[in-house]
């Protein structure tokens, strides 16, 4: 595709780079905000990539042979959008809508733009997401597209970058190239390593990478570096390019205080850069390619469990996702070195080619899933619920990026027992509910779990499944259906005096409490709220109308979980029933599962005790917020 | 303190190591769970450290000269507690309470034990927390204690370890030693690098560390390594020790499938290890030392703002924390390379010796604060609210570890404007509210911010302050008080038809809406709910009784924030008023701040429109959960 450049080609590329700078300056000037200086440093790197090394069909962003370009330094959108203009993908009028209401050319890139695969803007995410894409290309698609990640130097401080560097080095991802725009200046001043290119090179090489250190404004050197890395196929590659922020405009070049600001005199800057140009680049198109799907194509035969058997929902997850993988070749599973606990390991034994061990690196786990879904896969990313908090920022960004991923958190709540609070998921419902557009599922039974695993795979957005460590009785038949957004009313009668609402472990405690109360002549309704988000507001409202009091019971902290989900169903001004939250309000220690539930006041005896008082219209608990 | 060992000493240390193994086996056997094999691999490392290199007064855990020992591989508590027994700090009866209800000897260590400074159990946290301690020792206390972090090999995959490695290398933390117990086996099988000690050494050296690679079962080599690292003072040091999981018991040694399980035959294992011993170690005590506090001692002179002025609360934070630092030498500030945005930079200019630039590494930012508070400091850790999600797991663990830290998140909500959703804190209230024992503050005005900054510093636990990017009018006088757990009723009358509840930016929108409504003859109450957790339930209940309808308005996703906090005040079975949540239910793009608020339906006009319908008893919004 490219050979050594002539002097003319070199001059043409310089002109293109200047055009990218000019257009970046103009876009930010029109917006009155944005990051032109961070764009100008990388303009030569971008110009040479776009003209000579990227293979991308802008008319077919879903072309399976397209390279992937991830702008990890997501604030440098003026550069990205100037590239789109140069490629003829957008016109100049659209460029000047940058950062305006309704424009798809946002401050940081999102997939509202068809050529953007993933949202960036939280630094340090581009490389781990790129690792996910490169794994898909190498291990799943077995295609020869390349993943290019354009990164800033500041973001190399993020641990997520080193999780990714380790993963890429270990997996010999020769289809991945990181371009580090070492412009020396972060947001508030010099970076840790300034212009010390070797500092970055030394670190990456220690992680198994091939590195090239160059002057990022030397067009010939930039081209040679791209040529070199395209020839390396046995390991990931990095081009570490020394550059100058604001390159080309003396008023700002290599100067502090110009991060994230339009240039002081845009017209003068455009003049200094040689004026506007209208170069159009014919970007190399990829060779024809067909997406490859390893495996799949069988019928979906979900596991079936007998009522009354004791089965941990994590086991049902492991068996169900394995069945799903047999039926669908696009289903992949990632795990953070706890597959024996999450039961993701079941999948690894049946479908080893679609199982990705991420070791103890939850950010890479989440980012890998995001990268793979961008390549058309349906990932399930698994760890302990508690450790998924490590990847919170990745889930947040995944939602911005309209990513469709499944996340599975096991070992939830105090019910895990002796291991103590560090291993207990007690904040996971709050975390996943607060993610925009998310789905949060919390099954109590093995058949329900299996059904929900199959169903969640086709929901849009971030879908979270919360599974239990311990065994719980199977209470549903294998053919029962559990739509997302639904619930099950398990005990109901005309004389119900209140409603107990549980999910997962606490549903069984609610059922046992209802039995205790029934023997005392107190009828209570019991709702299985397996779909925590979206929540079945209709059933909750009916229960409120008919019983007057809703009691949520959750093995989770009081904030943001089941109690909040139920309260939200009444947050539109309608009359509200009496609401009571039973949740984990204290810090657990080590104890047996049953001791833990009792200590937290969420076991059957505690629930029954509370219900007795409530039906006598007394208030049973001090308000945890008071 | 130590010199080259004699053969006798070597033999004694072997006996001690065997004792640690025996006691670890016994503790896990008594508990019926736990991690003896992960303890046995590190027993020689622990025995030599305890006997010959650690300086620690078990009778005075608060001794300012004590070394710090952080068990990053927190599951290896059988080893840690066996060390306590050998040091005479606990007795054998207590050892055998391991993992039982009520015992302080939990599955993973917490500061319920006086010799534990920080909770561990989420892997990859020990080193970054140790970096915080080492920074305190070197830069603040200027003491000569050493920080020892005992880590597993699996956890070296966590990005947080590399944030810490970078920070420690860059700051030349010669008082920090990482001991990596390379026992080859993670939870579910072999680690990425197996026995390749050089893989770890190469990486750490690239980050500026001095490393020693040894056989971790060769007592002499272990002692020599400790001796060597104690002599290195210009950079952090790592002992990379090759070991065998389950060392000393053939049934489990170096075998897969024995992670986190008691030994199959504990009595036989104890025999194989040479039986019980009762060696007591006289641990070296530290030299007398006085804690040193740099600066402080002035009066607290908080900034004062004039009513009607326009001041961003982030600016008031920066000025207030600077004043607090002038008054109190134990106040330190950490920032994630956004100090010019969070205004932490104000502090850096006045108190540079107590300002810690963490670059873009939010996990290290949070862990640094945790480490420093363990050394008696009062840290404020600052970043964009959105990026604090990176450190969620560290805040969770900090709460388990009873850490007292202040966290400040700026640039919250859609009101930041053009930068778009990646930079908007829209989940931060949910995240911090769900942390056990946390305090969540959200001021709307500069004087209020200044007061809350001073107040939060003395609250226990994780305290979060949410600040705005944009300017808001000063509405309170500088002498007004704002107790944590309080609120302010800003508009109130006998004829109030509903109550608007806001905080931060949305309080001003609520006030403007109240003005619009007042002109139309509709009286509404307005509450400034600046203390989101704990929440002022009394004032909310009075408003409910008197107005019948509470409308929360928040620049945050609908889940887990202000709306949840208000709902929780009625979650004890008492009668509930009508509740309405106005929040950010859609995904924002780029737009001006005012356009963003309007698009989210949380500006004054939208609030007024909703209130008009509500006072006509209509329901205004479809339920977001429906």
């Amino acid at each position: 595709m490219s050979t050594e450049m002539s002097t003319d080609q070199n001059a043409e590329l310089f002109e293109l780079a200047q055009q990218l700078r000019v257009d970046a300056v103009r876009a930010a000037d029109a917006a009155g905000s944005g990051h032109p200086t961070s764009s100008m440093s990388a303009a030569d790197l971008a110009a040479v990539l776009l003209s000579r090394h990227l293979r991308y069909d802008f008319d077919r962003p879903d072309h399976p042979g397209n390279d992937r370009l991830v702008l990890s330094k997501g604030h440098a959108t003026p550069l990205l959008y100037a590239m789109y203009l140069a490629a003829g993908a957008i016109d100049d009028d659209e460029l000047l809508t940058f950062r305006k209401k309704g424009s798809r050319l946002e401050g940081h890139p999102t997939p509202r733009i068809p050529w953007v695969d993933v949202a960036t803007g939280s630094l340090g995410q581009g490389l781990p997401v790129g690792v996910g894409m490169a794994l898909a290309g190498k291990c799943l698609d077995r295609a020869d597209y390349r993943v290019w990640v354009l990164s800033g130097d500041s973001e190399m401080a993020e641990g997520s970058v080193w999780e990714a560097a380790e993963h890429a080095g270990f997996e010999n991802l020769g289809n991945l190239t990181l371009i580090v725009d070492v412009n020396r200046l972060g947001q508030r001043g010099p970076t840790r390593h300034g212009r010390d290119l070797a500092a970055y090179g030394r670190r990456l090489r220690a992680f198994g990478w091939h590195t090239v250190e160059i002057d990022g404004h030397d067009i010939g050197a930039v081209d040679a570096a791209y040529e070199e890395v395209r020839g390396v196929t046995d390991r990931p590659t990095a081009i570490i390019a020394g550059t100058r922020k604001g390159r080309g405009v003396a008023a700002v070049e290599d100067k502090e205080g110009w991060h994230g600001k339009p240039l002081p005199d845009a017209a003068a800057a455009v003049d200094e850069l040689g004026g506007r140009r209208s170069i159009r680049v014919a970007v190399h198109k990829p060779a024809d390619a067909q997406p490859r799907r390893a495996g799949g194509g069988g019928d979906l035969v979900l596991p079936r469990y007998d009522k009354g058997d004791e089965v941990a929902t994590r086991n049902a997850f492991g068996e169900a996702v394995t069945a799903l993988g047999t039926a669908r070749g696009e289903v992949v599973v990632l795990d953070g070195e706890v597959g024996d606990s999450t039961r993701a390991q079941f999948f690894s034994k049946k479908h080893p080619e679609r199982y990705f061990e991420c070791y103890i690196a939850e950010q890479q786990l989440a980012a890998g899933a995001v990268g793979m879904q961008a390549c058309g896969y349906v990932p399930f990313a698994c760890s302990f619920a508690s450790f998924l908090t490590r990847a919170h920022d990745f889930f947040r960004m995944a939602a911005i990026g309209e990513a469709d991923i499944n996340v599975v958190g096991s070992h939830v709540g105090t019910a895990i027992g002796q291991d103590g609070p560090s291993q207990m998921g007690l904040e996971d419902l709050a975390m996943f509910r607060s993610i925009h557009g998310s789905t949060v599922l919390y099954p109590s039974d093995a058949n329900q779990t299996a059904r929900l695993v199959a169903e969640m795979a086709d929901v849009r957005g971030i879908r979270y499944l919360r599974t239990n460590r311990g065994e719980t009785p199977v209470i549903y038949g294998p053919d029962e259906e559990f739509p997302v957004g639904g619930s099950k009313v398990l005990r109901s009668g005309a004389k119900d005096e209140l409603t107990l609402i549980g999910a997962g472990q606490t549903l069984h405690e609610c059922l046992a409490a209802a039995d205790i109360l029934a023997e005392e002549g107190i009828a209570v309704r019991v709702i299985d709220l397996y779909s925590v988000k979206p929540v079945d507001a209709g059933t909750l409202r009916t229960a409120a109308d008919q019983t007057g009091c809703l009691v949520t019971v959750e093995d989770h902290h009081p904030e943001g979980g089941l109690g909040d989900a139920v309260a939200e169903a009444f947050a539109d001004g309608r009359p509200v029933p009496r609401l009571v939250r039973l949740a984990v309000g204290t810090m657990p220690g080590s104890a047996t599962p049953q001791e833990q539930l009792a200590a937290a006041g969420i076991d059957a005896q505690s629930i029954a005790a509370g219900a007795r008082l409530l039906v006598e219209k007394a208030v049973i608990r001090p308000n945890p917020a008071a």
Side-chain angles (χ1 to χ4, degrees), chain A:
Chain A
M1 185 156 91
S2 57
T3 55
E4 200 172 330
M5 286 196 305
S6 67
T7 313
D8 281 358
Q9 286 174 314
N10 196 310
E12 281 167 22
L13 285 168
F14 173 77
E15 289 301 313
L16 176 60
Q18 292 294 85
Q19 171 176 313
L20 297 178
R21 291 186 172 96
V22 165
D23 290 338
V25 168
R26 293 173 58 240
D29 190 61
S33 68
H35 293 260
T37 58
S38 298
S39 297
M40 293 157 82
S41 58
D44 304 296
L45 294 162
V48 179
L49 180 64
L50 188 70
S51 282
R52 290 177 52 87
H53 300 280
L54 186 72
R55 294 176 305 176
Y56 196 88
D57 187 341
F58 277 88
D59 295 325
R60 289 185 57 197
D62 60 347
H63 192 301
N66 277 345
D67 281 359
R68 266 70 176 176
L69 172 61
V70 181
L71 184 74
S72 190
K73 48 181 292 180
H75 52 290
T77 38
L79 175 65
L80 185 69
Y81 303 155
M83 290 168 74
Y84 292 160
L85 178 62
I90 64 170
D91 62 23
D92 198 67
D93 287 346
E94 183 169 7
L95 179 74
L96 300 182
T97 66
F98 178 49
R99 283 175 165 252
K100 292 194 172 70
K101 183 167 188 287
S103 172
R104 60 183 177 173
L105 304 187
E106 298 182 52
H108 297 77
T110 75
R112 287 171 181 167
I113 300 170
W115 315 290
V116 172
D117 295 309
V118 293
T120 52
S122 180
L123 292 170
Q125 297 212 3
L127 186 63
V129 168
V131 165
M133 293 171 168
L135 285 167
K138 175 177 173 171
C139 307
L140 298 169
D141 294 338
R142 303 189 197 172
D144 63 353
Y145 59 77
R146 180 168 287 276
V147 180
W148 306 94
V149 177
L150 178 57
S151 161
D153 46 355
S154 277
E155 62 183 297
M156 298 296 284
E158 283 284 12
S160 54
V161 170
W162 300 98
E163 292 185 13
E166 179 72 280
H167 201 111
F170 185 73
E171 300 290 347
N172 303 311
L173 297 181
N175 56 347
L176 174 67
T177 295
L178 173 69
I179 306 154
V180 190
D181 175 25
V182 185
N183 68 21
R184 187 185 74 84
L185 292 172
Q187 170 174 327
R188 47 127 277 303
T191 61
R192 213 170 226 147
H193 297 297
R195 289 205 199 286
D196 183 4
L197 304 187
Y200 300 104
R202 200 159 53 236
R203 285 159 174 72
L204 285 166
R205 285 193 302 279
F207 282 79
W209 287 54
H210 177 88
T211 66
V212 192
E213 295 162 24
I214 56 164
D215 173 354
H217 299 312
D218 178 338
I219 298 275
V222 170
D223 187 66
Y226 283 126
E227 200 67 39
E228 178 175 335
V229 299
R230 285 173 53 201
V232 175
T233 57
D234 65 340
R235 64 186 66 189
T237 48
I239 298 172
I240 301 162
T243 64
R244 293 164 74 90
K245 202 161 175 171
R247 170 73 168 186
V249 175
V252 298
E253 182 172 326
D254 201 37
K255 287 195 165 63
E256 289 189 40
W258 288 104
H259 181 92
K261 295 177 186 166
L263 265 54
D265 184 337
V270 170
D271 283 348
E272 187 176 346
L273 290 163
R276 287 184 61 183
R277 296 158 179 84
S278 54
I279 304 167
R280 289 292 169 269
V281 178
V283 178
H284 292 283
K285 294 190 177 177
D288 279 341
Q290 290 299 322
R292 182 184 171 285
R293 290 287 178 270
D299 291 330
L300 176 55
V301 183
L302 288 175
R304 299 168 72 86
Y305 304 93
D306 294 330
K307 280 193 188 181
D309 281 1
E310 296 271 334
V311 182
T313 54
R314 60 176 170 145
N315 281 37
F317 157 70
E319 289 166 355
V321 77
T322 303
L324 194 66
T326 301
R328 298 172 60 172
E330 71 273 26
V331 170
V332 297
V333 173
L334 306 90
D335 192 278
E337 214 210 311
V338 288
D340 54 335
S341 289
T342 63
R343 306 307 197 213
Q345 213 170 51
F346 296 174
F347 185 96
S348 76
K349 288 177 178 157
K350 181 85 173 177
H351 310 294
E353 75 288 356
R354 283 182 275 145
Y355 185 78
F356 296 87
E357 178 57 74
C358 296
Y359 296 92
I360 306 182
E362 294 81 8
Q363 296 182 90
Q364 181 58 59
L365 172 74
V370 172
M372 288 181 185
Q373 66 84 37
C375 297
Y377 291 90
V378 177
F380 285 77
C382 314
S383 185
F384 279 33
S386 55
F387 305 142
L388 291 173
T389 54
R390 282 284 177 115
H392 189 164
D393 194 37
F394 286 78
F395 300 129
R396 182 184 74 86
M397 290 298 300
I400 295 172
E402 301 169 15
D404 297 317
I405 60 171
N406 304 284
V407 186
V408 181
S410 70
H411 290 66
V412 301
T414 63
I416 69 163
Q418 289 85 348
D419 272 340
S422 65
Q423 319 295 300
M424 295 172 178
L426 289 167
E427 303 85 357
D428 55 318
L429 292 177
M431 176 173 75
F432 281 105
R433 283 186 66 251
S434 76
I435 300 290
H436 178 73
S438 63
T439 298
V440 179
L441 304 171
Y442 184 15
S444 58
D445 143 296
N447 283 318
Q448 187 182 49
T449 304
R451 288 280 179 161
L452 289 174
V453 167
E455 200 178 346
M456 69 193 287
D458 293 317
V459 176
R460 299 300 310 270
I462 315 300
R463 321 118 188 185
Y464 176 59
L465 183 79
R466 187 179 212 231
T467 67
N468 283 329
R469 174 173 184 270
E471 293 174 346
T472 46
V474 176
I475 57 173
Y476 295 110
D479 296 316
E480 187 137 359
E481 294 186 4
F482 302 93
V484 168
S487 68
K488 292 285 174 185
V489 181
L490 294 178
R491 299 283 159 78
S492 179
K495 294 184 176 172
D496 291 342
E497 297 186 64
L498 57 72
T499 301
L500 300 177
I501 303 167
Q505 178 74 40
T506 60
L507 176 71
H508 299 281
E509 303 298 327
C510 289
L511 289 169
D515 290 344
I516 294 168
L517 292 164
E519 289 188 8
E520 300 169 10
I522 301 172
V524 301
R525 186 163 301 183
V526 179
I527 295 177
D528 173 3
L529 205 67
Y530 64 82
S531 180
V532 181
K533 181 182 174 187
V535 77
D536 183 359
T539 297
L540 293 172
R541 289 169 187 163
T542 300
D545 291 344
Q546 296 179 348
T547 74
C549 180
L550 305 184
V551 182
T552 54
V553 188
E554 57 190 314
D555 199 356
H556 183 276
H557 285 157
E559 302 87 0
L562 211 62
D564 185 27
V566 170
E568 210 187 314
F570 298 91
D572 58 358
R574 76 183 59 230
V576 185
R578 291 195 299 150
L579 296 170
V580 178
R581 288 185 193 192
L582 302 184
V584 183
T586 53
M587 179 60 75
S590 285
T592 66
Q594 205 53 45
E595 286 170 344
Q596 298 277 17
L597 295 173
I602 54 172
D603 66 333
Q605 297 297 337
S606 302
I607 298 166
R612 271 182 217 111
L613 291 173
L614 282 166
V615 298
E616 292 164 10
K617 310 297 178 203
V619 172
I620 56 153
R621 273 165 67 90
N623 170 19

